[in-house]
C-alpha cells in the first residue's frame, strides 16, 4: 500500500525528487532544524497557488537525495511554534492535516502542504 500525503502519494513525491524543484515543490535539508528560508517559501506558495515543501532532502550536484530529519517531533514543534507566531508568519496558513512525517529508507521526512491563501489572508509574509 502506498502512503498518501495529502493529495500526493509517496510514489509521486519520489518521482518529483527525480524531476527536481518547481514553482510548487521545494526541498530543504533540515537535518536538525526547520530552515529559516522555509518561511519565505511558505509565504511564496501561500501567495500563489500553494505547493509542497519537503524537509529532509538535500540537493547534491543537481540530484536530490533523502537525508532525513533528526528528531522529527522536535522539528514539528518548532514548525508549529513559528507557524503560529505572527513575527515569523503573518497568517497561520497550514492546518494540522497539512503537515505529516513520512519514513523512507529508515529516514524521516517532514512534508508540508502549503495551501493557497484566501483573498482575505493575502498577502502572507
Amino acid at each position: 500500500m502506498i502512503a498518501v500525503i495529502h493529495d500526493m502519494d509517496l510514489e509521486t513525491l519520489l518521482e518529483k525528487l527525480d524531476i527536481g524543484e518547481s514553482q510548487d515543490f521545494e526541498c530543504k535539508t533540515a537535518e536538525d532544524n526547520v530552515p529559516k528560508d522555509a518561511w519565505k517559501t511558505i509565504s511564496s506558495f501561500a501567495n500563489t497557488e500553494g505547493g509542497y515543501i519537503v524537509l529532509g532532502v538535500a540537493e547534491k550536484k543537481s540530484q536530490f537525495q533523502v537525508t532525513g530529519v533528526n528528531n522529527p517531533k522536535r522539528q514539528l514543534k518548532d514548525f508549529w511554534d513559528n507557524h503560529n507566531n505572527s513575527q515569523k508568519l503573518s497568517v497561520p496558513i497550514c492546518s494540522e492535516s497539512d503537515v505529516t512525517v513520512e519514513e523512507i529508507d529508515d529516514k524521516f521526512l517532514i512534508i508540508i502542504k502549503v495551501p493557497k491563501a484566501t483573498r482575505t489572508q493575502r498577502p502572507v509574509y
Side-chain angles (χ1 to χ4, degrees):
M1 186 169 129
I2 297 172
V4 175
I5 304 164
H6 320 295
D7 304 320
M8 186 187 312
D9 62 42
L10 203 49
E11 198 172 281
T12 304
L13 179 116
L14 293 173
E15 288 170 7
K16 279 192 162 282
L17 291 180
D18 288 337
I19 297 167
E21 295 180 322
S22 65
Q23 67 186 24
D24 64 351
F25 184 78
E26 194 161 312
C27 300
K28 304 207 176 278
T29 306
E31 284 180 22
D32 296 311
N33 299 296
V34 175
K36 288 180 174 53
D37 66 346
W39 304 106
K40 192 174 193 176
T41 303
I42 289 170
S43 65
S44 294
F45 284 173
N47 288 322
T48 56
E49 296 300 313
Y52 289 88
I53 301 172
V54 181
L55 304 181
V57 176
E59 183 178 6
K60 295 179 181 168
K61 298 180 182 175
S62 299
Q63 297 274 331
F64 289 93
Q65 177 183 352
V66 175
T67 54
V69 297
N70 299 324
N71 199 342
K73 280 187 179 179
R74 184 179 53 76
Q75 287 207 42
L76 282 175
K77 181 184 181 323
D78 181 45
F79 171 81
W80 287 115
D81 287 350
N82 284 296
H83 176 271
N84 297 325
N85 176 351
S86 61
Q87 298 295 315
K88 230 8 147 176
L89 196 62
S90 62
V91 176
I93 195 74
C94 298
S95 64
E96 254 185 73
S97 64
D98 292 326
V99 182
T100 59
V101 175
E102 296 295 331
E103 188 174 352
I104 297 176
D105 299 330
D106 298 323
K107 294 177 181 162
F108 293 102
L109 298 177
I110 297 174
I111 293 112
I112 304 165
K113 179 183 178 189
V114 181
K116 177 181 179 178
T118 64
R119 184 181 58 76
T120 57
Q121 291 173 316
R122 284 190 300 252
V124 177
Y125 52 92

